[in-house]
Amino acid sequence: MNAYIIGIVIPLIVLLLRNSKNRKRRGLPVDVGGDHGVALRNHRFTSPMSSAWEGVTTLAEMFERACKVHPDKLLLGTRGLISSEMEVVNGRSFEKLHLGEYKWITYRKVFEVVTAFGSGLAKLGHVREERVAIFAETREEWFIALQGCFRRNATVVTIYASLGEEALCHSLNETEVVTVICGGKELRALVHISGQLHSVKSVICMDDDIPPEASSVQHGWTITSFTDVERLGRENPVDADLPLPGDVAVIMYTSGSTGLPKGVMMTHRNVLATVSAVMTIVPNLADKDVYLAYLPMAHILELVAENLIASVGGAIGYGSPLTLTDTSNKIKKGTKGDATELMPTVMACVPAILDRVRDGVFKKVNAKGGLSKKLFDIAYVRRLHAMNGSWFGAWGLEKALWNFLVFRKVKAILGGRIRFILCGGAPLSGDTQRFINICLDAPICQGYGLTETCAGAAFSDFDDISVGRVGPPLPCSYIKLIDWPEGGYSVNDSPMPRGEIVIGGPNVTLGYFKNEEKTRESYKVDERGTRWFCTGDIGRFHADGCIEIIDRKKDIVKLQHGEYVSLGKVEAALLGSPFVDNIMLHADPFHSYCVALVVVSHPALEGWASKQGIAYSDLSELCGKEETGKEVHASLVKEAKKARLEKFEIPAKLKLLSDPWTPETGLVTAALKIKRDPIRKAFHEDLSKLYAS
Ligand SMILES: *[C@@H]1O[C@H](CO)[C@@H](O)[C@H](O)[C@H]1NC(C)=O
Ligand SMILES: *[C@@H]1O[C@H](CO)[C@@H](O)[C@H](O)[C@H]1NC(C)=O
Ligand SMILES: *[C@@H]1O[C@H](CO)[C@@H](O)[C@H](O)[C@H]1NC(C)=O
Ligand SMILES: CC(=O)N[C@H]1CO[C@H](CO)[C@@H](O)[C@@H]1O
């Protein structure tokens, strides 16, 4: 009997389950009326969900509920600083930190501080019509200030630190912010532009030691420390002034690829819908989960993630991108990074960070060489094959063996307990997704969404291990494709319908702050009253109801002879060349060919030059040499052929650049996506020269 069960019944069950998995429909067609298009909904819900909790309609209520249900659980944790020293490497000095254990506060205590902070704001004279800006790195006080503002129905304006001074002035000015809550470092930046900030009256500094230069500001700012606001509130408690679901919770400034940033108005209903929907896709998210917070809170992904963890009784430990692992730049050698200290179970990531982890691991394995590299390679290939199909291939003794022998050490880089990774902000490469699946033995769910849709639109299911797709619509959204004839995409295309992605549901935000025109351009309300946002992204629907992003409207250019070039598609293919660190393809409708700006990969180019015996004094000189251009071009042509690009899609001429594009240069976004307009502006002359010669 036992042998019978093992021999026949179990394989049969596995086979049945596997087939049912393969056929699993994750998104289902839905009739949304209106214009010609095809629409999908999540398979679990028939209509978009708006709240996961009975009677909870705002973020303030959601947080209060969690504090009542989990008063004694730990909520916020921050590491103490043991020492900080400057280390000099090659004449440049770097700050190295020795950080201690996490110090935690419970839900009950956080709720007290939040309430006190809210009362303190009122005592400082803040009235609810006035907006508050939070301008700081991700930290405990950010979360507390956010919740404190929610309890006073004060709209919070968020700004990315990397957007630059002009954007900062613009957003504070446009929203007429009266109170700015910031860290000491950010306060210095504010002092610098104080002459242009006409509405700001009060500044709350998260650090107790307020920078001395701040007191010299002649504009009558009141500067109060965070602890003093809290103390004021304790001494002068006032009742909460709670918001309604339709009140604006956050105005989030996002870096558009063109012009000044736009403020997206999100209501409590919007964010709550996304938080509720994301909760349904993280398996068994509960009060035992520990989350490592380090992405900017001014990014909707992080804002949703922290609110989500705090709604289920989970713990949030703070870190930073520069102190994440034991080998991170700012961590003193021999001391622990945030992940090893915290041992999180859940993380949110942007692809750039995962790519870095992956490259780091491969580099280490290659450097070690010998037997351990062989073992790693064998294990990796075995697991890759096993995963190619379903989770079932991923189970079993062999997997346990490889995890124990090889991947345990990789998993330990992030603390060893990661069970779920949320990834968003940009498309994740299939290779990196597989790397995380295999080495961390954790599902990684790729999300797709925009600030305008509160991050939520689509999210892959944890049991879907296919790569390159973003899953079915979130339970809070409908996703519709509409024809885009100019780009040659139609919902009648076979084998899959293709078109512009349009997102509808309670998660779709109110629009852009003080920008009727842009709002009307991108947001539509249909005859059934559903709000839709036109994303400008081109996608296609797979048979199982999952979405794949294939293009962007803005990135398609028609050449002189009428051929369409998809800039993003070509760039993605050419990035495969070892010489390319970054690339921007440029197509001009008045010419019949494309050109490209190529940021070269230093090690690859230097390696090639030394092999060829080419002498050069610095890299920019090497980039200018004719033979270098020829070599890189040949390598691009090779990649283009591999990807079966058309001849007109291959850049005919190149400009090689030796300086990398970083967010600080303003040429790429914080998520490291290239910003076409700034790049075109910065290299305007080079581009015209490429076409002229
Ligand atoms: C919250 O504040 C907004 C704007 O200041 C106001 O219009 C709204 O009525 C307030 N909500 C409540 C419930 O008082
Ligand atoms: C700020 O807004 C005022 C009007 O509200 C405008 O006159 C001024 O030019 C703006 N300043 C900046 C830096 O945008
Ligand atoms: C995975 O499966 C696909 C088709 O199902 C195949 O084309 C691919 O080569 C496979 N990859 C590996 C590593 O087995
Ligand atoms: C703010 C907003 O967009 N609200 C809409 C959310 O979705 C429901 C139903 O889909 C609409 O009735 C609301 O108007």
Side-chain angles (χ1 to χ4, degrees):
M1 181 63 194
N2 281 348
Y4 175 75
I5 290 179
I6 293 165
I8 297 182
V9 177
I10 290 184
L12 199 67
I13 292 172
V14 167
L15 195 72
L16 281 175
L17 279 173
R18 174 183 286 178
N19 279 336
S20 73
K21 274 270 146 66
N22 283 348
R23 265 190 273 115
K24 185 166 176 179
R25 306 252 347 208
R26 300 172 190 278
L28 297 174
V30 58
D31 172 25
V32 291
D35 44 15
H36 314 287
V38 286
L40 291 178
R41 65 168 170 86
N42 191 281
H43 65 100
R44 301 185 195 86
F45 296 83
T46 46
S47 63
M49 72 183 299
S50 46
S51 171
W53 301 271
E54 184 95 32
V56 169
T57 59
T58 65
L59 297 171
E61 286 169 358
M62 179 177 82
F63 181 61
E64 186 167 351
R65 179 197 159 273
C67 293
K68 285 194 178 125
V69 177
H70 311 278
D72 298 315
K73 292 271 176 204
L74 303 178
L75 172 53
L76 302 179
T78 299
R79 300 182 75 182
L81 179 68
I82 293 177
S83 70
S84 141
E85 53 200 62
M86 298 309 279
E87 203 177 281
V88 181
V89 181
N90 295 335
R92 287 176 61 192
S93 53
F94 297 91
E95 189 182 23
K96 297 280 174 184
L97 304 179
H98 182 189
L99 296 170
E101 289 177 356
Y102 275 89
K103 295 198 183 74
W104 292 96
I105 34 181
T106 61
Y107 277 76
R108 178 186 287 120
K109 175 85 178 128
V110 173
F111 191 72
E112 274 172 35
V113 178
V114 163
T115 311
F117 185 81
S119 300
L121 265 185
K123 177 69 190 169
L124 282 180
H126 185 271
V127 293
R128 72 171 182 219
E129 286 75 24
E130 297 169 349
R131 295 177 197 94
V132 176
I134 306 184
F135 176 49
E137 285 171 353
T138 297
R139 51 194 282 182
E140 198 171 290
E141 292 82 2
W142 215 119
F143 183 89
I144 293 170
L146 181 75
Q147 301 296 344
C149 290
F150 286 168
R151 292 189 68 76
R152 295 233 54 78
N153 183 23
T155 298
V156 173
V157 177
T158 71
I159 308 142
Y160 258 105
S162 64
L163 284 184
E165 259 181 23
E166 195 191 350
L168 179 62
C169 279
H170 167 73
S171 32
L172 291 177
N173 200 28
E174 190 173 67
T175 48
E176 296 158 57
V177 161
V178 177
T179 305
V180 182
I181 306 173
C182 62
K185 198 173 79 190
E186 292 82 16
L187 181 50
R188 284 191 199 101
L190 285 178
V191 168
H192 198 232
I193 53 167
S194 58
Q196 297 165 60
L197 303 177
H198 305 296
S199 57
V200 175
K201 294 203 180 67
S202 158
V203 176
I204 298 172
C205 182
M206 293 177 177
D207 296 306
D208 281 336
D209 41 348
I210 293 166
E213 58 262 49
S215 57
S216 68
V217 173
Q218 300 300 310
H219 294 272
W221 290 358
T222 355
I223 301 177
T224 323
S225 76
F226 204 85
T227 13
D228 281 341
V229 177
E230 197 192 314
R231 189 180 44 74
L232 266 178
R234 278 186 209 286
E235 290 163 2
N236 307 275
V238 291
D239 284 343
D241 183 2
L242 293 171
L244 288 174
D247 287 330
V248 177
V250 177
I251 300 179
M252 186 168 278
Y253 275 82
T254 73
S255 54
S257 46
T258 57
L260 285 167
K262 292 172 292 203
V264 177
M265 297 183 284
M266 305 173 178
T267 63
H268 282 268
R269 177 190 287 128
N270 294 154
V271 187
L272 179 65
T274 303
V275 171
S276 302
V278 175
M279 195 173 84
T280 64
I281 59 136
V282 184
N284 312 317
L285 189 68
D287 56 6
K288 60 184 188 314
D289 277 304
V290 180
Y291 174 80
L292 176 52
Y294 66 97
L295 291 176
M297 266 292 248
H299 192 307
I300 181 68
L301 178 67
E302 182 67 20
L303 191 103
V304 165
E306 288 189 27
N307 275 285
L308 171 63
I309 299 296
S311 71
V312 297
I316 302 174
Y318 287 90
S320 81
L322 292 176
T323 57
L324 214 51
T325 66
D326 295 356
T327 53
S328 288
N329 281 347
K330 265 185 144 178
I331 289 291
K332 185 178 159 189
K333 227 179 160 140
T335 68
K336 279 186 173 177
D338 304 327
T340 25
E341 182 65 41
L342 184 66
M343 299 200 288
T345 60
V346 182
M347 271 176 88
C349 287
V350 292
I353 289 194
L354 295 177
D355 288 345
R356 220 173 289 156
V357 171
R358 166 176 165 244
D359 293 347
V361 168
F362 282 140
K363 216 186 276 163
K364 221 167 161 183
V365 169
N366 284 334
K368 254 191 183 160
L371 191 64
S372 64
K373 172 170 161 51
K374 278 218 178 80
L375 195 64
F376 183 91
D377 288 346
I378 293 173
Y380 199 83
V381 169
R382 289 289 304 168
R383 298 284 304 117
L384 201 58
H385 272 283
M387 286 205 67
N388 205 6
S390 74
W391 271 118
F392 295 97
W395 286 350
L397 258 180
E398 186 182 344
K399 171 178 167 184
L401 181 74
W402 291 130
N403 279 349
F404 181 76
L405 283 179
V406 180
F407 301 124
R408 196 170 36 127
K409 286 183 218 124
V410 181
K411 198 167 172 163
I413 295 175
L414 292 179
R417 289 203 306 169
I418 289 286
R419 66 177 191 91
F420 192 84
I421 293 181
L422 290 153
C423 185
L428 176 70
S429 78
D431 287 348
T432 302
Q433 183 177 337
R434 273 290 173 270
F435 169 83
I436 299 294
N437 288 152
I438 291 173
C439 293
L440 297 187
D441 186 24
I444 175 160
C445 291
Q446 213 190 142
Y448 164 71
L450 300 96
T451 309
E452 287 85 342
T453 61
C454 248
F459 229 110
S460 53
D461 287 332
F462 77 98
D463 60 349
D464 176 8
I465 55 162
S466 63
V467 297
R469 313 189 307 168
V470 294
L474 269 177
C476 62
S477 320
Y478 291 131
I479 296 192
K480 183 162 74 166
L481 294 182
I482 54 173
D483 285 346
W484 187 44
E486 294 91 328
Y489 292 111
S490 160
V491 298
N492 298 316
D493 286 345
S494 87
M496 295 178 215
R498 303 188 299 176
E500 181 183 358
I501 297 176
V502 182
I503 299 166
N507 57 327
V508 172
T509 55
L510 288 184
Y512 300 113
F513 186 72
K514 285 193 189 163
N515 200 337
E516 273 293 320
E517 194 194 328
K518 276 259 168 5
T519 302
R520 259 201 312 269
E521 232 173 80
S522 308
Y523 291 83
K524 307 267 179 300
V525 180
D526 70 13
E527 68 280 4
R528 297 189 188 180
T530 310
R531 267 182 94 76
W532 296 90
F533 177 74
C534 305
T535 62
D537 289 328
I538 304 293
R540 61 179 182 188
F541 287 166
H542 284 253
D544 62 353
C546 287
I547 296 136
E548 185 183 348
I549 313 294
I550 51 178
D551 223 324
R552 258 192 86 61
K553 247 174 148 174
K554 261 196 249 144
D555 296 351
I556 299 180
V557 183
K558 192 173 172 185
L559 291 179
Q560 204 178 21
H561 298 318
E563 302 101 338
Y564 284 98
V565 179
S566 159
L567 304 176
K569 182 186 85 179
V570 176
E571 283 158 1
L574 300 184
L575 270 172
S577 158
F579 292 119
V580 176
D581 180 56
N582 216 335
I583 184 167
M584 191 190 81
L585 191 74
H586 181 72
D588 183 326
F590 299 106
H591 289 89
S592 58
Y593 58 91
C594 312
V595 298
L597 298 169
V598 177
V599 180
V600 297
S601 152
H602 294 190
L605 204 64
E606 282 162 355
W608 168 79
S610 78
K611 237 186 233 157
Q612 300 292 314
I614 297 173
Y616 57 95
S617 58
D618 62 16
L619 216 67
S620 73
E621 186 197 327
L622 180 60
C623 284
K625 284 185 189 284
E626 199 182 324
E627 59 255 60
T628 316
K630 272 197 182 138
E631 176 69 19
V632 175
H633 192 256
S635 162
L636 293 189
V637 171
K638 206 166 120 200
E639 291 303 318
K641 292 228 165 99
K642 247 198 251 166
R644 298 215 197 92
L645 296 186
E646 301 288 339
K647 184 143 188 296
F648 62 82
E649 292 176 304
I650 305 173
K653 289 176 190 166
L654 307 177
K655 167 79 189 175
L656 304 187
L657 306 166
S658 55
D659 291 333
W661 294 339
T662 59
E664 291 74 44
T665 61
L667 300 177
V668 291
T669 66
L672 300 179
K673 283 191 264 190
I674 60 170
K675 289 160 94 175
R676 296 188 188 279
D677 274 354
I679 296 177
R680 279 183 199 131
K681 255 187 222 147
F683 298 98
H684 174 73
E685 271 176 32
D686 291 307
L687 288 171
S688 345
K689 263 192 224 148
L690 285 175
Y691 275 121
S693 57

